[in-house]
Amino acid sequence: MIRNVKTSVTDYGDETTPLLAQDAPTMVERDAEFGGTIERAKLEKALLRKLDARMSILVLIYILNFIDRTNLATARLRGFESDLGLKGQQFASLLSILYAGYMLMQIPSNMYLNYTGRPSLYLPAAMILWGSLTLVMGFVHTFIGALLARFLLGFVEAAFFPGALFLISSWYRREELGLRMAILSCGSMISNAFGGLLAAGILDSMEGKLGYAAWRWLFFIEGTMTISVATCSIFILPDFPSNTRWLTPLERRLAEMRIAEDVGIAEEDGKQSPMQGLKMAVTDWKVWWLALTFTSFVIGSSFSVYFPTLSATLGYSRTITLLLCAPPWAFATLVSFINARHSDKTRERFFHVAVPLTVGIIGLLVALATMNTAARYAALFLMAQSNAGSVVFLGWASNSIPNPPAKRAVALALINMVSQTGSIGGSYVYPTAWGPTYRKSYAICIASYSICILMSFIFRKHLISLNKRMDREDLGFGIGAGRLPVDDAEAVSARVAGSDEILDTVEHLPRLGRAGSSSQRKGTDVAERRGFRYVY
């Protein structure tokens, strides 16, 4: 039972936060449509469980997305280059051409996704197309044919990752976003870990079946898997909070309110046309800074594409080489999950980006300095875990460009699009002529990671200054919010999810919009805020 809550304005002495009028709707009054604070908490937990269960298919889609994008490096180990008669830098060109198509389509794709509002149809349709193109790769016999197929593959694959980021950020609050981004991004690392195991099985067992080389079967089987999962995902993926059909009207209302409260805008304030969103994104320098920062990360992590090649420098057989790729990426997946979870819990971003990258630099230095087998394999673990930094960085980027949705859709696509110039350049960082030591390659990656850390630090300092400016101007404290002293509201005791639980008004009522910055209030009072503060 909720105890009586005083709604009168209280004098807080030295508090600088402006107090609201007595007739402003309080937290409890706004929860009345959900049956009160306790019932809202129950409904919110049920909504998140339902949403998480359905969003989990994005991980499987991303695994297949990354496998279809990077299986060329695996096919290279079983005769792909010799069968197609590739020479010089032609193989690197096949890797890089995918990102040309990938870059061209990302912004138009997210603009269209925001306009149509049907990711449950749009993303699976794109997936069916790229699965079909993966199948086509199994039939190519010339460099030109492979080049065209790879360009088109990048063109349609561009819909998924920025679209998935936009979809997730449309449902989850800031303190929930990092973990979900981590779970999604772990898909790429899982694909690196277990894609090699799948490829090893195919390459060892399918050579000559029905007259096709084993590397062709690699494309046939993986393309078919992609199409099958795409068909199922049509019935699983959600759309946006306003139009998802499998939500009840009350759940839909709560989903919309959660995001509006989190970013500090009214629902009607968030409606912008795709072209308005494009203009707002391209004129915000923060978007370009984040894009260039992530570009430096992508160049530094170019070893991911060549991971089987680097593993082969250890001197083992082809099958053992593929199997050795799995443990470093399994380790990276675990580190990424823990790092992102801790980032959400502490509401800190920069150090959760910089520390994994610093450890990655140490791994690159080890690989550069020695050809010792054990040391170089240990270096692969340290290098792989650096991807934990990118997971947090993507959530940080979404936090830093929270609204309106039309702007965020373009901004996330723009950041990812610009960063793919790093993928194009990264395709040429590990030429065969630099092997087997690849010292020059590792030096390039070290420099790129260092630039990423420096730019992230500068961005952090800027966000701190923005928060302080908003604090001085007393922005964002107000419309439609109430101030509740803990002594009066105390805590709400309820039986939630089958167990007695004390719902602390800060930790368990996420709509309070905690700042995670210098604006965070001290003392025993709780100020419900509508205003936005940057997380850094």
Side-chain angles (χ1 to χ4, degrees):
M1 179 179 296
I2 303 175
R3 302 187 183 186
N4 292 332
V5 177
K6 297 179 182 179
T7 58
S8 60
V9 174
T10 305
D11 183 9
Y12 287 89
D14 60 350
E15 290 286 352
T16 57
T17 305
L19 302 181
L20 301 172
Q22 294 184 7
D23 59 351
T26 67
M27 173 181 68
V28 174
E29 290 172 334
R30 289 206 313 277
D31 287 348
E33 64 179 298
F34 304 107
T37 302
I38 300 304
E39 293 303 315
R40 169 170 169 160
K42 292 180 180 179
L43 183 63
E44 198 157 348
K45 284 193 172 186
L47 173 64
L48 286 175
R49 283 196 297 267
K50 183 185 296 186
L51 188 60
D52 287 342
R54 288 179 174 265
M55 287 286 197
S56 61
I57 197 172
L58 289 174
V59 179
L60 179 57
I61 295 175
Y62 195 24
I63 290 172
L64 294 172
N65 176 273
F66 211 78
I67 285 176
D68 291 342
R69 191 189 314 171
T70 60
N71 52 16
L72 211 59
T74 307
R76 186 188 195 189
L77 298 176
R78 199 60 183 250
F80 175 82
E81 285 183 287
S82 58
D83 286 357
L84 267 63
L86 302 185
K87 300 177 181 178
Q89 294 293 320
Q90 287 184 332
F91 180 81
S93 297
L94 290 179
L95 291 178
S96 63
I97 194 65
L98 179 141
Y99 298 104
Y102 197 72
M103 291 170 59
L104 288 173
M105 192 58 183
Q106 290 194 52
I107 291 178
S109 175
N110 257 23
M111 291 174 65
Y112 183 74
L113 177 60
N114 181 59
Y115 175 75
T116 60
R118 296 302 304 276
S120 65
L121 295 178
Y122 181 67
L123 295 181
M127 190 178 180
I128 290 173
L129 287 175
W130 91 59
S132 300
L133 286 166
T134 300
L135 276 170
V136 169
M137 278 295 296
F139 292 104
V140 298
H141 290 276
T142 65
F143 169 68
I144 297 301
L147 197 69
L148 179 61
R150 290 282 294 179
F151 173 78
L152 294 175
L153 179 64
F155 198 79
V156 295
E157 276 202 355
F160 174 69
F161 191 64
L165 293 181
F166 179 50
L167 177 61
I168 292 173
S169 65
S170 299
W171 284 94
Y172 293 101
R173 301 169 59 87
R174 278 175 289 168
E175 64 269 22
E176 302 161 350
L177 194 59
L179 178 61
R180 273 72 181 188
M181 290 286 194
I183 294 173
L184 172 65
S185 298
C186 283
S188 65
M189 286 171 271
I190 293 172
S191 72
N192 278 320
F194 298 103
L197 300 179
L198 173 64
I202 295 172
L203 295 179
D204 280 349
S205 61
M206 300 302 292
E207 180 64 38
K209 300 292 185 181
L210 300 181
Y212 292 108
W215 68 263
R216 295 186 184 276
W217 279 106
L218 184 69
F219 293 112
F220 295 157
I221 293 173
E222 291 177 353
T224 302
M225 290 170 55
T226 299
I227 294 171
S228 300
V229 172
T231 304
C232 296
S233 65
I234 295 174
F235 306 99
I236 298 174
L237 280 174
D239 290 314
F240 294 119
S242 61
N243 65 335
T244 295
R245 298 177 181 179
W246 42 263
L247 291 178
T248 66
L250 199 60
E251 289 174 330
R252 188 176 298 114
R253 170 61 180 159
L254 177 58
E256 293 176 315
M257 181 179 288
R258 277 166 35 87
I259 301 303
E261 290 169 344
D262 189 48
V263 300
I265 59 170
E267 181 181 351
E268 61 270 15
D269 295 333
K271 295 180 180 179
Q272 305 285 341
S273 71
M275 293 308 299
Q276 285 176 312
L278 175 63
K279 181 179 179 180
M280 294 170 71
V282 299
T283 55
D284 186 346
W285 75 267
K286 294 196 303 296
V287 176
W288 293 100
W289 187 269
L290 289 166
L292 293 174
T293 304
F294 198 48
T295 299
S296 64
F297 170 84
V298 171
I299 296 174
S301 63
S302 57
F303 60 81
S304 301
V305 181
Y306 286 92
F307 214 76
T309 300
L310 300 180
S311 180
T313 63
L314 300 177
Y316 296 99
S317 67
R318 183 185 299 113
T319 300
I320 297 298
T321 291
L322 291 174
L323 295 177
L324 288 175
C325 291
W329 289 111
F331 174 71
T333 302
L334 178 62
V335 172
S336 296
F337 183 84
I338 295 173
N339 187 57
R341 187 73 185 93
H342 190 260
S343 176
D344 272 356
K345 189 172 183 179
T346 59
R347 298 181 65 78
E348 197 284 330
R349 298 294 184 255
F350 168 72
F351 289 105
H352 289 82
V353 173
V355 171
L357 293 189
T358 302
V359 175
I361 289 174
I362 294 172
L364 290 163
L365 285 170
V366 171
L368 184 151
T370 181
M371 287 297 292
N372 177 271
T373 300
R376 285 173 73 88
Y377 190 54
L380 292 179
F381 280 82
L382 301 181
M383 291 157 58
Q385 67 76 46
S386 62
N387 283 270
S390 72
V391 171
V392 174
F393 184 87
L394 291 171
W396 190 16
S398 183
N399 292 157
S400 302
I401 310 164
N403 58 69
K407 176 185 177 182
R408 190 174 70 252
V410 175
L412 291 174
L414 180 61
I415 291 169
N416 205 47
M417 182 197 76
V418 173
S419 72
Q420 295 314 305
T421 59
S423 295
I424 294 176
S427 299
Y428 296 91
V429 169
Y430 289 86
T432 304
W434 289 358
T437 61
Y438 293 107
R439 289 192 175 93
K440 294 179 181 179
S441 307
Y442 294 136
I444 292 172
C445 293
I446 291 169
S448 298
Y449 272 177
S450 299
I451 292 171
C452 181
I453 293 172
L454 176 61
M455 294 184 71
S456 296
F457 177 74
I458 295 172
F459 188 65
R460 176 181 188 268
K461 300 296 287 186
H462 176 67
L463 295 185
I464 291 173
S465 69
L466 288 182
N467 281 348
K468 288 181 178 179
R469 184 192 309 168
M470 287 189 285
D471 288 342
R472 287 194 301 269
E473 296 172 355
D474 286 329
L475 291 178
F477 284 57
I479 304 171
R483 178 185 278 282
L484 299 175
V486 171
D487 289 341
D488 290 337
E490 294 181 311
V492 185
S493 179
R495 186 175 299 275
V496 179
S499 62
D500 288 325
E501 181 176 357
I502 300 298
L503 296 180
D504 177 78
T505 46
V506 175
E507 293 298 329
H508 294 278
L509 297 179
R511 61 196 176 284
L512 296 182
R514 290 170 287 136
S517 72
S518 58
S519 65
Q520 194 166 350
R521 309 308 302 167
K522 297 181 180 180
T524 58
D525 62 294
V526 175
E528 183 177 12
R529 297 179 189 172
R530 200 161 178 219
F532 175 79
R533 288 299 185 273
Y534 292 103
V535 179
Y536 50 80

